Amino acid sequence: MGEQPIYTTRAHVFQIDPSTKKNWVPASKQAVTVSYFYDSTRNSYRIISVDGTKVIINSTITANMMFTKTSQKFGQWADSRANTVFGLGFTSEQQLSKFAEKFQEVKEAAKMAREKSQDKVDIRSTRIDLNNDTFDFKQDSGPSSPGSKQASSFNGTDDEKIFKVGPEMLLMKTEHESTAQQSSKWEAELQSLREKNSMLVEELQHASTNMDVCKKQVGACKEESDALRQKVRTLAHLAP
């Protein structure tokens, strides 16, 4: 069956600034789809998010990862393989709680999968003989990377305390900009309506003026008509 989505939600995606390791950088301009995927072939779990054609999250969940709620609507986790920290801002506390619960569930599943895999492998000291020289080494429990120590240290450190507030401010800024854009649009529409209203008032006044002129002209014509009728009657009486 390959890789299939098992849970999907929407959130604003952030990544920690690689230069400062303290500030958050928005990875998406708006809320995007964030999904948990399960690969039955590899028995592994990933969090994936795509903004348009750009992959902004591709994080494989491991047993030692931890998802931390830093506010009522924001959570984060460190990915040593990607050498970064991902942050998600949700529109409600319920969405954050569901995502955190799913993270814990997937983490436990990944842990069980790892333990089953280790049961099949005989972890023991191996001795090899190369050019009559003997080397002893133990199998590592998992791959490591130069940035793993640095990335994993983001959970529960002073750095974490510093950038906890950042995403909320960025979300508020995004919402403020969106509200400002809508407000500007409404003001433009209101101004357009005011201009149209002014034009209608001017046209109405002009029409009212024309009506007054027409009434005067009609009145004058009526008076002239009455005068002519009177003359006709007078002439009719004077006729032999």
Side-chain angles (χ1 to χ4, degrees), residues 78-81 83 144-155 157:
D79 188 333
S80 60
R81 296 184 180 181
N83 194 24
S144 61
S145 61
S148 60
K149 182 177 180 181
Q150 183 180 26
S152 61
S153 65
F154 286 126
N155 288 324
T157 63

Side-chain angles (χ1 to χ4, degrees), residues 114-124 139-140:
R114 178 181 174 182
E115 290 175 352
K116 289 181 180 179
S117 177
Q118 287 180 341
D119 288 341
K120 297 178 182 179
V121 179
D122 184 17
I123 304 177
R124 62 184 182 275
Q139 183 176 350
D140 193 2

Side-chain angles (χ1 to χ4, degrees), residues 10-41:
R10 292 183 67 82
H12 290 268
V13 179
F14 299 86
Q15 287 189 21
I16 199 67
D17 189 341
S19 59
T20 64
K21 299 295 184 182
K22 294 180 180 180
N23 302 320
W24 288 106
V25 178
S28 62
K29 295 181 179 179
Q30 56 188 1
V32 294
T33 300
V34 181
S35 302
Y36 285 93
F37 277 79
Y38 172 62
D39 190 340
S40 57
T41 304

Side-chain angles (χ1 to χ4, degrees), residues 50-159:
V50 179
D51 186 10
T53 58
K54 181 182 178 182
V55 178
I56 55 179
I57 298 179
N58 183 8
S59 179
T60 300
I61 305 301
T62 60
N64 60 345
M65 282 186 177
M66 180 178 295
F67 185 83
T68 305
K69 296 180 182 179
T70 57
S71 72
Q72 292 182 344
K73 297 181 181 180
F74 192 87
Q76 65 187 54
W77 77 97
D79 188 333
S80 60
R81 296 184 180 181
N83 194 24
T84 189
V85 179
F86 294 104
L88 296 179
F90 297 89
T91 57
S92 68
E93 186 176 358
Q94 290 76 13
Q95 286 181 319
L96 172 60
S97 296
K98 288 182 180 179
F99 188 90
E101 291 173 2
K102 198 64 181 179
F103 194 99
Q104 184 64 27
E105 178 184 330
V106 169
K107 173 184 172 180
E108 293 298 327
K111 182 178 180 181
M112 292 179 62
R114 178 181 174 182
E115 290 175 352
K116 289 181 180 179
S117 177
Q118 287 180 341
D119 288 341
K120 297 178 182 179
V121 179
D122 184 17
I123 304 177
R124 62 184 182 275
S125 297
T126 305
R127 301 177 63 85
I128 63 173
D129 188 9
L130 179 62
N131 294 330
N132 296 325
D133 291 327
T134 300
F135 300 86
D136 292 338
F137 65 94
K138 291 186 178 181
Q139 183 176 350
D140 193 2
S141 60
S144 61
S145 61
S148 60
K149 182 177 180 181
Q150 183 180 26
S152 61
S153 65
F154 286 126
N155 288 324
T157 63
D158 292 336
D159 289 343

